[in-house]
Amino acid sequence: MTWWQGMVGYEIYVRSFADSDGDGYGDLPGIRARLPYLAELGVELVWITPFYPSPQADHGYDVSDYLGVEPAYGTVDDVAKLVDDAHELGLKVVVDLVPNHSSSEHPWFVDARSSKDARHRDWYVWRDPAPDGGPPNNWVSHFGGPAWTYDETSGQYYMHLFLPEQPDLNWANDEVRAAFVDILDTWFSRGVDGMRIDVAHSLVEDAEYRDNPVIAPYDPTAPPRERFEAFEHLHDHDQDGVLDIYREWNTVAAKHHALLLGEVYILETDRLRRYVEGRDGLHLAFAFATLHATWDVEEIRPLLAELVEAGGEHFAWPLGSHDDPRAAARFGGGEVGARRALAYFTLLCALPGVPFLYQGDELGLDDGELEDDAAQDPVAVRNPGARGRDPVRTPMLWEPGPGYGFTTGTPWLPFGANRRPEDTVAAQQGVPGSPLERTRELLRVRRSLPALRGGAGSRWLTDAGPVVAIERVLPAAGDGGRVVAALHVGDGDPDAVADLQLPGAGRLVYTSADGASLDGTVLHLPADTAAIVELSS
């Protein structure tokens, strides 16, 4: 059994987690000081978003040096101290790797664009203009506009699936592959326990750079996501050749017993499973379809059943992320949304694989309410009227007060007009029934049940009705080796109660809200509530 099986993960968005020096930006010493909080919360695997030197066009996902640290965040020595402290607390540390593209200010690209004969020219994707002088094909950027920018110096276009300041690397070049093997090996040798691989499905493109099929009317004035979804991304994403890269990286990780965790943002289960099914590439892939489910039992039940069958222990289950609306916002907002988010996370914690919290999820946070002129995300800044990702990236709320314990200065992004003192860690700490304490209890219960720590079989107990329920059973089930987790997906009636006939007697060990009860072998679940029952072995 691998060390990450049965763990619970936690994403830290570095610039919004904890500021140690009052400049308004989170940093590595700030994270280090808050590691005891994470250990007490009960998470075991901490993923930190990019802290490399960067011009910050996309807040660190535009890397100008893959082996250094952005001075505003700290130093390489700060990384080492953070990792050492984490290990002493029993935490594993996964750092972000951005291999699809670099910054346009990376020395590789500065050299590449200097001439067609430059040493690093073929490290990036360059193409001649189309016959009309326009872009080589119809590919579009995630952030709006064509995925190509014309370079006056050389008379060619370079490709960027994100910002023009994020030129795509050419993964058909063996030197690029060798460089990233060295990058991986260096960070693993520095003590980090794994890599989260950004846009892991996008490194390889169609060798002929063919047009993508158009599947909806294309409006160049529409928000970036609508423009992107006007095409079937048949040739610019999810090419089979990308799997060979991860097979090579797997051998590097194996030398260090390190984890490869992929941001494989593919919602089609059959395509997603390819990244983990061989067991010789990525060890885990995020199942991002969990972030797109609405509060509808007929959506949640088949989605999770399909994903568990396809990937099981090799999927990570995110409740939230720095790129998507928070779970509480997706599920109705306010107290209702927070209650549903915790109930949903309870079920995710019972699935085989690794559930993930995004910072602040444990506090029941909704998206931050921001004024339009506060936008920092390039999606919103460069596409007026588009919803950016800033509302989910507002700084962490540690304690009541002007800087909410995040900073003594002016935060890089406002906290949000809807933030309240009772949303903070300090206000919820030790308060029975608070989102923080209920999350902490959930993770404690999960750790105590061997059936939820890896190696257990799965069986779905319902195929109709408002309750989604899964049974987990270890082959040699002793205490804690047989567990049922159930979620009542309410339809808006707060007084509704649903009953679930259990496959045996047991004891109620966790509920996400008050009101659940166990009567013999019948579990009574209020709406928007989840429960875990330890069955008798």
Side-chain angles (χ1 to χ4, degrees):
M1 186 165 137
T2 55
W3 59 257
W4 53 84
Q5 280 186 298
M7 284 192 166
V8 176
Y10 188 97
E11 179 192 352
I12 290 177
Y13 190 68
V14 61
R15 60 170 37 211
S16 291
F17 192 66
D19 169 23
S20 70
D21 58 10
D23 67 355
Y25 294 84
D27 49 43
L28 295 173
I31 294 172
R32 184 183 174 202
R34 296 294 186 176
L35 290 175
Y37 164 78
L38 297 177
E40 291 168 6
L41 177 62
V43 300
E44 299 143 296
L45 188 162
V46 178
W47 153 35
I48 305 173
T49 58
F51 48 67
Y52 311 106
S54 165
Q56 303 294 323
D58 189 23
H59 297 162
Y61 283 92
D62 49 319
V63 177
S64 56
D65 176 4
Y66 286 95
L67 297 179
V69 172
E70 172 65 30
Y73 295 154
T75 65
V76 171
D77 187 53
D78 286 324
V79 177
K81 292 175 180 177
L82 189 159
V83 170
D84 286 346
D85 284 4
H87 289 169
E88 287 187 12
L89 290 166
L91 299 170
K92 298 289 189 179
V93 178
V94 170
V95 301
D96 226 316
L97 182 66
V98 189
N100 179 71
H101 49 265
S102 74
S103 165
S104 58
E105 296 185 24
H106 195 294
W108 297 341
F109 190 72
V110 172
D111 176 62
R113 75 188 313 176
S114 65
S115 79
K116 286 186 176 181
D117 299 322
R119 163 79 176 82
H120 294 93
R121 181 72 174 187
D122 193 46
W123 284 43
Y124 294 86
V125 180
W126 298 89
R127 304 291 290 176
D128 290 330
D132 65 358
N137 61 27
N138 69 351
W139 296 359
V140 294
S141 160
H142 286 270
F143 289 171
W148 301 93
T149 289
Y150 185 68
D151 179 60
E152 296 282 353
T153 302
S154 62
Q156 287 188 311
Y157 283 86
Y158 69 86
M159 188 179 82
H160 52 88
L161 292 179
F162 293 86
L163 296 174
E165 294 91 338
Q166 296 170 292
D168 274 43
L169 287 153
N170 176 18
W171 281 89
N173 185 311
D174 289 341
E175 290 183 312
V176 171
R177 294 194 180 213
F180 275 85
V181 166
D182 288 343
I183 290 165
L184 283 169
D185 196 62
T186 298
W187 281 109
F188 292 152
S189 296
R190 289 174 176 175
V192 303
D193 301 293
M195 286 286 184
R196 177 267 189 186
I197 302 154
D198 188 55
V199 287
H201 55 292
S202 292
L203 276 59
V204 174
E205 297 82 34
D206 174 58
E208 299 177 23
Y209 294 91
R210 290 171 286 183
D211 280 355
N212 281 324
V214 180
I215 57 175
Y218 180 76
D219 178 1
T221 66
R225 178 166 288 188
E226 289 183 27
R227 281 180 268 174
F228 193 78
E229 292 175 351
F231 298 89
E232 180 185 2
H233 292 274
L234 194 61
H235 301 305
D236 57 345
H237 288 170
D238 191 31
Q239 306 298 296
D240 287 339
V242 75
L243 303 178
D244 294 331
I245 296 170
Y246 302 132
R247 293 187 183 102
E248 182 178 17
W249 290 9
N250 188 286
T251 64
V252 179
K255 293 189 302 179
H256 301 274
H257 306 289
L259 166 66
L260 298 177
L261 168 62
E263 185 207 20
V264 185
Y265 218 118
I266 295 172
L267 304 184
E268 297 79 18
T269 302
D270 285 343
R271 301 298 297 176
L272 175 63
R273 75 194 303 172
R274 296 159 43 249
Y275 288 80
V276 295
E277 66 183 353
R279 313 296 184 252
D280 59 351
L282 297 179
H283 301 113
L284 291 172
F286 279 110
F288 284 108
T290 61
L291 299 180
H292 292 259
T294 63
W295 194 250
D296 181 344
V297 69
E298 298 304 332
E299 193 173 333
I300 292 172
R301 182 176 14 243
L303 170 67
L304 295 183
E306 179 179 278
L307 286 167
V308 167
E309 181 180 2
E313 293 182 344
H314 303 282
F315 283 160
W317 310 102
L319 179 64
S321 88
H322 67 275
D323 284 332
D324 295 277
R326 287 189 177 273
R330 299 195 311 269
F331 292 150
E335 293 183 5
V336 170
R339 176 183 174 120
R340 290 173 172 176
L342 179 56
Y344 186 60
F345 186 61
T346 301
L347 185 59
L348 295 184
C349 279
L351 305 183
V354 178
F356 258 83
L357 289 163
Y358 171 55
Q359 63 183 51
D361 283 344
E362 72 274 22
L363 303 176
L365 294 185
D366 205 334
D367 289 354
E369 295 177 359
L370 303 174
E371 299 292 336
D372 290 343
D373 60 5
Q376 298 287 327
D377 181 8
V379 172
V381 171
R382 303 188 188 199
N383 299 275
R387 175 188 165 90
R389 299 164 292 178
D390 294 313
V392 304
R393 298 177 174 184
T394 55
M396 184 69 172
L397 307 177
W398 293 104
E399 60 191 43
Y404 280 103
F406 164 72
T407 184
T408 57
T410 301
W412 74 277
L413 187 67
F415 294 98
N418 55 331
R419 298 306 189 217
R420 307 163 301 169
E422 53 264 40
D423 294 328
T424 63
V425 171
Q428 295 189 24
Q429 190 108 14
V431 177
S434 69
L436 175 60
E437 291 302 332
R438 286 193 186 275
T439 302
R440 184 173 287 158
E441 177 64 8
L442 168 62
L443 301 190
R444 185 199 66 77
V445 168
R446 187 179 188 273
R447 286 194 307 276
S448 73
L449 298 171
L452 302 184
R453 299 290 288 175
S458 304
R459 180 170 71 104
W460 296 95
L461 300 181
T462 62
D463 56 14
V467 175
V468 183
I470 189 169
E471 182 182 13
R472 305 293 312 285
V473 182
L474 283 169
D479 289 345
R482 191 177 175 212
V483 171
V484 168
L487 165 66
H488 180 181
V489 184
D491 60 4
D493 179 1
D495 298 321
V497 176
D499 293 341
L500 175 68
Q501 178 64 55
L502 298 173
R507 65 188 184 99
L508 188 61
V509 293
Y510 176 78
T511 63
S512 65
D514 294 337
S517 63
L518 185 59
D519 182 11
T521 59
V522 177
L523 175 64
H524 306 291
L525 269 181
D528 304 338
T529 301
I532 298 175
V533 176
E534 179 187 359
L535 298 179
S536 302
S537 58

PDB file of all heavy atoms in Angstrom, residues 57 123 246 298 340 388 440 452 536:
ATOM      1  N   ALA A  57       1.936  37.134 -13.987  1.00  0.00           N
ATOM      2  CA  ALA A  57       0.866  37.412 -14.947  1.00  0.00           C
ATOM      3  C   ALA A  57      -0.348  36.542 -14.650  1.00  0.00           C
ATOM      4  O   ALA A  57      -1.488  36.964 -14.821  1.00  0.00           O
ATOM      5  CB  ALA A  57       1.364  37.173 -16.371  1.00  0.00           C
ATOM      6  N   TRP A 123      12.353  24.586 -28.127  1.00  0.00           N
ATOM      7  CA  TRP A 123      11.797  24.226 -26.821  1.00  0.00           C
ATOM      8  C   TRP A 123      10.349  24.712 -26.705  1.00  0.00           C
ATOM      9  O   TRP A 123       9.652  24.352 -25.760  1.00  0.00           O
ATOM     10  CB  TRP A 123      12.638  24.832 -25.697  1.00  0.00           C
ATOM     11  CG  TRP A 123      13.945  24.112 -25.460  1.00  0.00           C
ATOM     12  CD1 TRP A 123      14.809  23.647 -26.411  1.00  0.00           C
ATOM     13  CD2 TRP A 123      14.518  23.785 -24.189  1.00  0.00           C
ATOM     14  NE1 TRP A 123      15.902  23.056 -25.814  1.00  0.00           N
ATOM     15  CE2 TRP A 123      15.746  23.125 -24.442  1.00  0.00           C
ATOM     16  CE3 TRP A 123      14.132  24.001 -22.876  1.00  0.00           C
ATOM     17  CZ2 TRP A 123      16.579  22.677 -23.418  1.00  0.00           C
ATOM     18  CZ3 TRP A 123      14.959  23.555 -21.855  1.00  0.00           C
ATOM     19  CH2 TRP A 123      16.171  22.892 -22.121  1.00  0.00           C
ATOM     20  N   TYR A 246       4.404  10.741 -18.446  1.00  0.00           N
ATOM     21  CA  TYR A 246       4.209  10.365 -17.042  1.00  0.00           C
ATOM     22  C   TYR A 246       4.782   8.989 -16.734  1.00  0.00           C
ATOM     23  O   TYR A 246       5.150   8.727 -15.588  1.00  0.00           O
ATOM     24  CB  TYR A 246       2.724  10.470 -16.682  1.00  0.00           C
ATOM     25  CG  TYR A 246       2.207  11.866 -16.933  1.00  0.00           C
ATOM     26  CD1 TYR A 246       1.037  12.104 -17.626  1.00  0.00           C
ATOM     27  CD2 TYR A 246       2.956  12.968 -16.510  1.00  0.00           C
ATOM     28  CE1 TYR A 246       0.600  13.390 -17.888  1.00  0.00           C
ATOM     29  CE2 TYR A 246       2.534  14.250 -16.771  1.00  0.00           C
ATOM     30  CZ  TYR A 246       1.363  14.461 -17.462  1.00  0.00           C
ATOM     31  OH  TYR A 246       0.956  15.743 -17.728  1.00  0.00           O
ATOM     32  N   GLU A 298     -30.037  12.772  -8.629  1.00  0.00           N
ATOM     33  CA  GLU A 298     -29.946  12.035  -9.887  1.00  0.00           C
ATOM     34  C   GLU A 298     -28.699  12.404 -10.672  1.00  0.00           C
ATOM     35  O   GLU A 298     -28.374  11.756 -11.668  1.00  0.00           O
ATOM     36  CB  GLU A 298     -31.197  12.285 -10.731  1.00  0.00           C
ATOM     37  CG  GLU A 298     -32.488  11.816 -10.068  1.00  0.00           C
ATOM     38  CD  GLU A 298     -32.457  10.335  -9.686  1.00  0.00           C
ATOM     39  OE1 GLU A 298     -31.742   9.563 -10.362  1.00  0.00           O
ATOM     40  OE2 GLU A 298     -33.117   9.959  -8.700  1.00  0.00           O
ATOM     41  N   ARG A 340     -24.715  21.787   3.053  1.00  0.00           N
ATOM     42  CA  ARG A 340     -24.654  20.809   1.969  1.00  0.00           C
ATOM     43  C   ARG A 340     -23.205  20.471   1.605  1.00  0.00           C
ATOM     44  O   ARG A 340     -22.894  19.310   1.294  1.00  0.00           O
ATOM     45  CB  ARG A 340     -25.396  21.359   0.754  1.00  0.00           C
ATOM     46  CG  ARG A 340     -26.903  21.422   0.930  1.00  0.00           C
ATOM     47  CD  ARG A 340     -27.574  22.139  -0.230  1.00  0.00           C
ATOM     48  NE  ARG A 340     -29.031  22.037  -0.153  1.00  0.00           N
ATOM     49  CZ  ARG A 340     -29.870  22.630  -0.988  1.00  0.00           C
ATOM     50  NH1 ARG A 340     -29.376  23.408  -1.978  1.00  0.00           N
ATOM     51  NH2 ARG A 340     -31.173  22.480  -0.861  1.00  0.00           N
ATOM     52  N   GLY A 388     -14.199  36.157 -12.986  1.00  0.00           N
ATOM     53  CA  GLY A 388     -12.878  35.609 -12.725  1.00  0.00           C
ATOM     54  C   GLY A 388     -12.891  34.664 -11.546  1.00  0.00           C
ATOM     55  O   GLY A 388     -13.940  34.320 -10.993  1.00  0.00           O
ATOM     56  N   ARG A 440     -13.257  18.740  11.545  1.00  0.00           N
ATOM     57  CA  ARG A 440     -12.202  18.102  12.332  1.00  0.00           C
ATOM     58  C   ARG A 440     -12.666  16.742  12.855  1.00  0.00           C
ATOM     59  O   ARG A 440     -11.914  15.752  12.817  1.00  0.00           O
ATOM     60  CB  ARG A 440     -11.820  19.033  13.491  1.00  0.00           C
ATOM     61  CG  ARG A 440     -10.687  18.536  14.332  1.00  0.00           C
ATOM     62  CD  ARG A 440     -10.291  19.609  15.328  1.00  0.00           C
ATOM     63  NE  ARG A 440      -9.579  20.700  14.680  1.00  0.00           N
ATOM     64  CZ  ARG A 440      -9.479  21.932  15.178  1.00  0.00           C
ATOM     65  NH1 ARG A 440     -10.078  22.234  16.318  1.00  0.00           N
ATOM     66  NH2 ARG A 440      -8.803  22.856  14.542  1.00  0.00           N
ATOM     67  N   LEU A 452     -11.951   2.983   5.641  1.00  0.00           N
ATOM     68  CA  LEU A 452     -11.851   4.231   4.889  1.00  0.00           C
ATOM     69  C   LEU A 452     -10.410   4.663   4.670  1.00  0.00           C
ATOM     70  O   LEU A 452     -10.165   5.772   4.192  1.00  0.00           O
ATOM     71  CB  LEU A 452     -12.622   5.343   5.610  1.00  0.00           C
ATOM     72  CG  LEU A 452     -14.103   5.075   5.865  1.00  0.00           C
ATOM     73  CD1 LEU A 452     -14.767   6.297   6.484  1.00  0.00           C
ATOM     74  CD2 LEU A 452     -14.820   4.677   4.575  1.00  0.00           C
ATOM     75  N   SER A 536     -21.371  -3.674  12.543  1.00  0.00           N
ATOM     76  CA  SER A 536     -20.771  -4.751  13.322  1.00  0.00           C
ATOM     77  C   SER A 536     -20.063  -5.705  12.377  1.00  0.00           C
ATOM     78  O   SER A 536     -20.555  -6.024  11.294  1.00  0.00           O
ATOM     79  CB  SER A 536     -21.844  -5.490  14.116  1.00  0.00           C
ATOM     80  OG  SER A 536     -22.539  -4.600  14.976  1.00  0.00           O
TER      81      SER A 536
END
